[in-house]
Amino acid sequence: MPVWKIHGDGHTVAPGSVVKPEERLNWPATFAIGAQHIVAMFGATFLVPIITGFPVSTTLLFSGIGTLLFLLITRNRLPSYLGSSFAFLAPITAINAGQSLETAQQITQALVGVLVVGVALAAIGFIVQAVGIGWIDKLMPPVVAGSIVALIGFNLAPAAWNNFNAQPELASITLIAVILFSVLFRGFLGRISIFLGVIVGYIVAIFTDQVRFEGIEDAAWIGLPDFHLAAITDPMAWAYVPMFLPVILVLIAENVGHVRGVATMTNDPSINKHTGRALLADGVATALAGGFGGSATTTYGENIGVMAATRVYSTAAYWVAGAAAILLAFSPKVGFIFNTIPAGVLGGVTTALYGLIGVIGIKIWVDNRVDFSRPVNQYTVAVSFVLAIGGYAMNWDGFELGAIVLGTVAALLIYHLGNAIARARKTGADDGGPIPAVGPLGGDPE
């Protein structure tokens, strides 16, 4: 059983300090923070199975199990919630001509692709952990790492807008409540501003008749999720697997970005040493979900936003969230209640959360004094951001590369090829390293 040190007096977080992964606040506060993580992941985690046709309760179950496995494999040092991955939407729905899966056979065929991606990601994680992260540092220097972290958050902006636009008044009230709670109150109430904002938005929605409770009485309090086994003996299922392989790059980008983001926010570079374990853990969780009927998992940017807002990075809160998700998976009635949270409330909250993810990427640049007078750095960020925010995608005969993949690839290619050319030509357009604390910025050669 994990053991955490009590942070300070267990009640407050001093200005400028954070609750580290191996620390925790008192248990009531920890449960409250865990509740915020449940709220943060819930909308997206439920949305993926709704879009793909996977069983919702099963997805929630493996999301919770995956989170606990992630904490165990990363030795309780890396706070993260593993929610449903949006990267799998395209290959899964492609099995049914772009529509939600309609039959059990289609679900079991799609699960093979999820299973294969999970195994491949776990293998990559094992290699990374064995040989170290030095090559990742060279592959993803601060300007690239910050871009990847930020574009993951900004890429989610259209999803936030869709929910916000569905009920703009309700979304605005929720967003304003989140911001006001964060600046009006000190200590605990300020740290749970996101959770309180959701409560305010939900109460307003109830009083304005924007919550639909039809069918709640018919939902059972206790029930088993629907399980499906991956159709590993079905040749057609293996024919679909190539469509899933590009997703591996997305999961690598999301996991590396998550690890670097947490390391930056906690001011603990040693967390980067767990990059391989993070990849391994997400791979194992995804493979397990794919084997028995759940959606693939990934480290959730939504929950990074909660940590950034609360300054609480305790893994104890994620044990609470993971265990709660497992319990909720066995209660159709409770799951139904959570699913009644209006789109406007989710839109208001995610507008703040997704933006906070982007800020974390920008903080990586600031902390490492990235020189943005250099053209290579400028274009690395400029192009990758537009690709991610604009939702660019490329398709080749059923293969699709989404915005996060394209943005990540663009950042890597522009940075490394641009540096090679600029240095060969001695144009001064390359990344010259951190800018000096005092003095002129770089750019033109002397």
Side-chain angles (χ1 to χ4, degrees):
M1 179 66 184
V3 177
W4 299 270
K5 297 182 294 184
I6 299 296
H7 176 85
D9 61 4
H11 296 277
T12 60
V13 182
S17 66
V18 299
V19 179
K20 297 180 179 180
E22 65 273 16
E23 299 176 331
R24 67 171 175 84
L25 298 176
N26 59 47
W27 282 115
T30 298
F31 276 98
I33 298 296
Q36 284 198 90
H37 286 299
I38 295 172
V39 171
M41 69 80 182
F42 210 85
T45 296
F46 262 49
L47 184 60
V48 171
I50 289 173
I51 294 174
T52 60
F54 277 29
V56 173
S57 59
T58 313
T59 292
L60 186 59
L61 173 64
F62 284 105
S63 172
I65 293 175
T67 296
L68 301 188
L69 282 173
F70 186 94
L71 295 172
L72 288 172
I73 293 174
T74 59
R75 297 182 176 179
N76 214 39
R77 289 296 312 280
L78 185 58
S80 178
Y81 189 89
L82 295 191
S84 303
S85 173
F86 281 83
F88 286 81
L89 292 181
I92 290 177
T93 55
I95 293 176
N96 192 33
Q99 304 298 317
S100 298
L101 304 185
E102 299 174 347
T103 67
Q105 181 182 23
Q106 290 177 337
I107 292 175
T108 58
Q109 290 174 338
L111 289 174
V112 174
V114 175
L115 176 62
V116 170
V117 169
V119 172
L121 183 64
I124 293 172
F126 182 81
I127 294 172
V128 170
Q129 196 64 29
V131 303
I133 63 171
W135 65 276
I136 293 181
D137 292 331
K138 293 180 179 179
L139 182 66
M140 296 183 179
V143 65
V144 176
S147 298
I148 293 174
V149 173
L151 68 82
I152 290 173
F154 293 145
N155 173 254
L156 294 168
W161 167 242
N162 288 336
N163 282 328
F164 198 104
N165 193 41
Q167 296 169 306
E169 295 84 2
L170 183 59
S172 297
I173 291 172
T174 303
L175 177 58
I176 292 171
V178 169
I179 297 172
L180 286 178
F181 276 117
S182 69
V183 298
L184 282 175
F185 298 101
R186 299 177 181 176
F188 177 68
L189 289 179
R191 289 194 303 275
I192 62 170
S193 61
I194 296 169
F195 184 57
L196 294 177
V198 170
I199 292 177
V200 169
Y202 193 72
I203 291 174
V204 171
I206 291 175
F207 279 100
T208 56
D209 195 28
Q210 297 185 72
V211 180
R212 297 291 175 261
F213 292 109
E214 292 85 355
I216 191 170
E217 294 183 358
D218 298 329
W221 278 107
I222 300 176
L224 289 175
D226 296 324
F227 294 101
H228 295 86
L229 298 179
I232 57 176
T233 59
D234 185 347
M236 181 59 67
W238 288 96
Y240 294 132
V241 167
M243 294 191 301
F244 288 79
L245 297 181
V247 175
I248 296 174
L249 182 58
V250 180
L251 298 182
I252 292 175
E254 289 179 335
N255 277 276
V256 171
H258 180 88
V259 175
R260 289 187 178 276
V262 173
T264 298
M265 291 187 294
T266 59
N267 195 28
D268 184 2
S270 67
I271 288 179
N272 288 318
K273 297 179 180 179
H274 296 278
T275 301
R277 290 183 178 275
L279 294 168
L280 172 62
D282 191 13
V284 170
T286 294
L288 181 63
F292 297 97
S295 297
T297 62
T298 187
T299 50
Y300 250 25
E302 290 89 335
N303 296 89
I304 285 186
V306 173
M307 291 189 291
T310 62
R311 292 183 291 126
V312 176
Y313 304 93
S314 172
T315 54
Y318 284 99
W319 281 93
V320 171
I326 294 173
L327 293 176
L328 290 173
F330 289 94
S331 179
K333 188 179 290 290
V334 173
F336 185 95
I337 294 173
F338 270 94
N339 210 29
T340 63
I341 297 176
V345 174
L346 294 176
V349 171
T350 53
T351 296
L353 289 178
Y354 297 164
L356 286 172
I357 301 168
V359 171
I360 294 166
I362 294 171
K363 188 175 185 299
I364 292 176
W365 302 334
V366 173
D367 291 346
N368 289 276
R369 305 203 309 273
V370 174
D371 186 352
F372 279 110
S373 72
R374 302 279 182 154
V376 165
N377 292 343
Q378 294 171 354
Y379 285 107
T380 295
V381 176
V383 175
S384 64
F385 269 30
V386 171
L387 292 177
I389 296 171
Y392 284 49
M394 292 186 178
N395 295 274
W396 296 280
D397 298 326
F399 287 88
E400 177 173 308
L401 295 180
I404 292 179
V405 175
L406 293 178
T408 300
V409 171
L412 290 167
L413 290 179
I414 293 172
Y415 181 84
H416 290 290
L417 291 180
N419 268 324
I421 295 172
R423 288 166 183 168
R425 294 286 300 163
K426 298 181 180 180
T427 61
D430 59 304
D431 182 3
I435 60 175
V438 179
L441 298 179
D444 295 330
E446 296 181 359

